[in-house]
Amino acid sequence: MEERMETMDDYKEELEASFRKIREGDLLTATVIAVSEEEATLDLKYYAPGIIRAQDLSDDPDYAMMKNLHPGDEIQATVIRLDDGEGNILLSKKEANQMIGWEKLKEAMEQETTLHVHVKEAVNAGVIAYAEGLRGFIPASQLSLDYVEDPSEWVGKDLAVRVINADAQKEKLVLSAKVILREQAQAERDHRISMLVPGTVVEGTVESLTNYGAFVNIGNGLTGLVHVSQICERRIRKPSEVLKTGQTVRAKILNTNDNRISLSIRALEEDLSDAPAEDNGFAQEYISNESATTSLGSLLAKLNLH
């Protein structure tokens, strides 16, 4: 049997390791080869193995070495000492998390990326969650669309968040769940508006009055605007001349352009005045007994505007 001749390729890794120079502060990519309760051993493709002690793995207090780290995993770590006293290179994944994590979080903030975090604890005026291994603060005002009285109720919950501040120098990471909740609520509202059909008659309650119109709550979390010119056929200076807050009105949907609901009470008056009189005794009797008037009060009474 012919004996195989060894070539330089057989010693490629050893040669590269012999020429490679590792310095303190270097960020290395290494493969986990063993894990214990106290430390993880790494293959650095170097003449000496790498060691990460348990306390140098993560800032996250819930990080469990035996659970979160396995042989074969590829991780990044920073060199903190070239010799730990036993010929090993001492590394820190925690320091690497700081270097890499802040870069990732800054990028996430710029690109408005959604992150998923687990709330660990409640603190004054908010809660703490970890993102990319770094401690982040979620203010109580950024937990919900509603007022949050007790942030501790969020401990243990998983939240979708956005980064609203990532300052590596000040080690300040601020996250927000409210931003995403607001976007979701807006998307749901836009969908409900898209289901409205122009020409449909709706009933609602006057929420507020301005000089240019009346805002009417038509239910399902939707509010439409009746422009002052669409309140009645008679020209009025301001809506408060004929409408009041809390009043129930009926109106026709004019359009939903730009996801804004435009309503018209006047259109119902016009529909009523354009409708042909029915040729029956009831209609004639109703007309003959009604006092002749063109007052707005009479028109609104016909339309059941309470």
Side-chain angles (χ1 to χ4, degrees):
M1 191 172 181
E2 191 173 320
E3 203 172 304
R4 177 179 172 276
M5 294 289 292
E6 292 181 338
T7 67
M8 293 296 287
D9 286 340
D10 295 312
Y11 301 98
K12 184 178 180 180
E13 289 188 5
E14 287 83 353
L15 286 168
E16 287 179 353
S18 66
F19 287 112
R20 188 179 178 196
K21 194 71 175 176
I22 290 179
R23 299 177 178 83
E24 290 184 6
D26 284 355
L27 178 65
L28 306 179
T29 299
T31 303
V32 178
I33 55 177
V35 182
S36 69
E37 293 287 352
E38 294 79 25
E39 62 185 28
T41 304
L42 309 177
D43 178 10
L44 305 177
K45 299 192 183 304
Y46 197 59
Y47 65 81
I51 295 292
I52 301 181
R53 297 172 300 193
Q55 63 267 31
D56 293 322
L57 270 167
S58 176
D59 285 314
D60 189 341
D62 289 340
Y63 187 94
M65 178 180 281
M66 298 295 290
K67 179 181 177 181
N68 298 106
L69 207 59
H70 308 93
D73 288 351
E74 193 173 79
I75 64 172
Q76 290 183 296
T78 305
V79 178
I80 56 177
R81 196 181 307 160
L82 292 175
D83 191 338
D84 66 350
E86 298 182 5
N88 304 307
I89 296 176
L90 197 60
L91 304 164
S92 171
K93 188 175 183 296
K94 188 186 293 186
E95 282 193 13
N97 288 345
Q98 294 280 338
M99 294 172 60
I100 301 167
W102 285 113
E103 291 179 9
K104 288 184 177 179
L105 291 167
K106 185 179 179 181
E107 183 179 344
M109 179 176 66
E110 293 171 350
Q111 297 183 0
E112 298 184 352
T113 304
T114 297
L115 305 177
H116 297 276
V117 299
H118 185 74
V119 178
K120 301 291 187 182
E121 62 177 309
V123 293
N124 185 33
V127 298
I128 298 300
Y130 287 80
E132 298 295 340
L134 299 175
R135 189 175 189 267
F137 176 61
I138 308 177
S141 62
Q142 296 298 317
L143 281 169
S144 171
L145 294 175
D146 302 318
Y147 174 74
V148 174
E149 184 173 353
D150 184 8
S152 65
E153 294 178 0
W154 265 258
V155 175
K157 292 186 178 182
D158 294 317
L159 298 177
V161 298
R162 292 265 174 80
V163 179
I164 58 176
N165 191 1
D167 190 330
Q169 286 188 331
K170 296 181 179 179
E171 295 188 354
K172 183 178 181 180
L173 174 61
V174 183
L175 309 171
S176 171
K178 186 176 183 177
V179 172
I180 294 176
L181 294 173
R182 187 184 293 124
E183 290 176 358
Q184 292 173 345
Q186 184 63 46
E188 291 172 5
R189 178 181 179 276
D190 291 347
H191 175 69
R192 290 195 297 271
I193 291 176
S194 71
M195 301 300 288
L196 297 176
V197 180
T200 302
V201 176
V202 295
E203 185 174 283
T205 304
V206 178
E207 280 188 337
S208 61
L209 299 172
T210 67
N211 288 333
Y212 57 85
F215 288 95
V216 178
N217 184 335
I218 62 173
N220 203 21
L222 300 179
T223 297
L225 172 66
V226 183
H227 190 267
V228 65
S229 64
Q230 294 296 323
I231 290 177
C232 61
E233 291 182 316
R234 177 172 65 84
R235 184 173 181 180
I236 58 176
R237 289 178 301 171
K238 52 185 179 180
S240 58
E241 291 179 22
V242 293
L243 296 174
K244 61 183 180 180
T245 303
Q247 181 177 347
T248 300
V249 298
R250 295 174 72 244
K252 180 182 285 189
I253 298 174
L254 294 180
N255 63 68
T256 56
N257 298 339
D258 299 322
N259 288 318
R260 296 177 181 177
I261 306 169
S262 295
L263 303 172
S264 175
I265 297 173
R266 175 181 174 177
L268 292 184
E269 297 177 12
E270 294 172 347
D271 289 348
L272 188 62
S273 62
D274 291 342
E278 294 184 13
D279 188 14
N280 56 46
F282 173 78
Q284 292 179 9
E285 182 180 355
Y286 176 79
I287 293 171
S288 63
N289 291 336
E290 183 183 11
S291 59
T293 178
T294 56
S295 70
L296 176 63
S298 176
L299 287 170
L300 294 177
K302 292 178 184 179
L303 294 171
N304 294 321
L305 301 179
H306 303 298

